[in-house]
Amino acid sequence: MPRGLKPIFLAARQFADRHTPTIEQEALTSLLEGGLYERHIRRVRRRNGELRCCLLGVSDQAFGAWVAIKGADGGLQTVV
């Protein structure tokens, strides 16, 4: 950014963001640098996939053609 605008942007940032979560940012940095975040994401995705399969199986057994399930392949939300 142009040097003349730097003080204005710093003041605006301080006004809008007085409580930067420094400890949380350092913890996240450590997780990212150590590869632990990626491992956590893989584990959570695998577990969520297992739970989704269970939900779809139980829903099919309980309701069969009485319900339509939408969005089961796209993340954590499923619409029945």
Side-chain angles (χ1 to χ4, degrees):
M1 93 179 60
R3 289 180 192 242
L5 294 178
K6 186 175 180 179
I8 296 169
F9 275 89
L10 288 174
R13 182 178 182 276
Q14 185 177 21
F15 178 75
D17 182 20
R18 293 181 182 225
H19 306 286
T20 301
T22 305
I23 294 173
E24 291 87 343
Q25 289 177 354
E26 289 176 3
L28 180 58
T29 299
S30 177
L31 289 172
L32 291 171
E33 289 176 349
L36 296 174
Y37 185 73
E38 289 84 3
R39 192 170 81 189
H40 168 72
I41 293 298
R42 282 193 302 271
R43 185 174 50 244
V44 168
R45 283 183 179 162
R46 184 173 43 251
R47 180 66 177 144
N48 285 344
E50 293 167 357
L51 292 172
R52 182 176 52 243
C53 285
C54 180
L55 172 68
L56 296 176
V58 168
S59 296
D60 188 50
Q61 288 177 351
F63 303 111
W66 287 88
V67 297
I69 298 176
K70 303 289 182 188
D73 295 331
L76 296 176
Q77 295 182 327
T78 301
V79 178
V80 179

